[in-house]
Amino acid sequence: MGFVYLYRLGSLVLASFAAIIVIILCAIVTKANGRLQDAGDDIGRLHVSIQYANTGFAAAAITLVSVPIMIGLDFLDMIPVKSIILVELPWTLLLSILFVATGGTAFNDGNFFKKIPGLDSCDNTLLSATPDIVTLCKDSKPIGIVAFAAAGIFFVYTVVLAAFTWAKLSRDSSAYKTSVMECEKL
């Protein structure tokens, strides 16, 4: 196993851990929003967009399904199908775009309190009366941070893989049609 393959494993495992964190935080936010919507008072009727949680669920779920498949295909010698670079490059780029969308909407939608007159931060005493609003307010930023970190991991891996493959193309024109492990042997 070469450096690029080990870098691939490390990047994909690290991105999977970030996806697990995102999905846990999104579940907390979704549950808090559900309790808030079930409340019958004025605060409960406050419409709070949790689009970032929905996008986070999608990005994290797709990551947690596809990354083990990508890694597992390299270790199964019995089957001829491998995670080829031609598929892996656009896929990891797509995953980075999904996490950028999650992070961007988390930072945008997480500032809902600014639309309410008299509120300037998540620590306002008016918000502290309802713990679910505080959860919605404070958990959006960690979702955004971890989502941007996962996007960065996927994007840097995509750039490294593209550069590595480009360098290999000078020696072998079929480098895009092999897995990372096989490409390092070329």
Side-chain angles (χ1 to χ4, degrees):
M1 284 188 225
F3 170 75
V4 175
Y5 185 75
L6 292 176
Y7 177 75
R8 173 185 185 255
L9 281 178
S11 296
L12 295 179
V13 167
L14 194 58
S16 295
F17 282 130
I20 290 169
I21 293 169
V22 167
I23 210 164
I24 289 169
L25 289 172
C26 289
I28 292 169
V29 165
T30 302
K31 187 174 182 179
N33 189 52
R35 284 192 307 259
L36 186 63
Q37 298 304 321
D38 289 342
D41 56 3
D42 291 336
I43 294 176
R45 288 191 288 269
L46 173 69
H47 176 70
V48 178
S49 173
I50 58 164
Q51 183 63 38
Y52 62 92
N54 299 334
T55 310
F57 272 128
I62 291 170
T63 298
L64 293 175
V65 168
S66 65
V67 166
I69 292 171
M70 288 169 31
I71 293 172
L73 287 176
D74 285 341
F75 292 112
L76 297 175
D77 292 330
M78 300 173 288
I79 59 173
V81 178
K82 299 288 182 195
S83 180
I84 62 172
I85 294 172
L86 187 61
V87 173
E88 199 164 309
L89 274 171
W91 187 250
T92 54
L93 185 61
L94 174 73
L95 290 173
S96 70
I97 291 168
L98 286 173
F99 278 110
V100 165
T102 300
T105 54
F107 281 116
N108 185 41
D109 292 349
N111 291 329
F112 70 91
F113 60 86
K114 291 182 179 176
K115 298 174 187 171
I116 304 170
L119 298 182
D120 54 353
S121 74
C122 292
D123 297 324
N124 194 301
T125 55
L126 294 174
L127 289 179
S128 63
T130 309
D132 293 328
I133 291 183
V134 174
T135 299
L136 289 175
C137 190
K138 289 189 175 186
D139 284 354
S140 65
K141 301 236 181 327
I143 291 172
I145 291 167
V146 175
F148 279 132
I153 292 167
F154 276 125
F155 185 74
V156 169
Y157 169 67
T158 303
V159 169
V160 167
L161 182 59
F164 168 73
T165 306
W166 185 264
K168 289 291 185 175
L169 280 174
S170 63
R171 286 183 255 151
D172 185 10
S173 63
S174 66
Y176 276 115
K177 298 176 185 172
T178 62
S179 70
V180 175
M181 186 184 289
E182 293 167 350
C183 190
E184 283 192 319
K185 295 176 186 175
L186 296 177

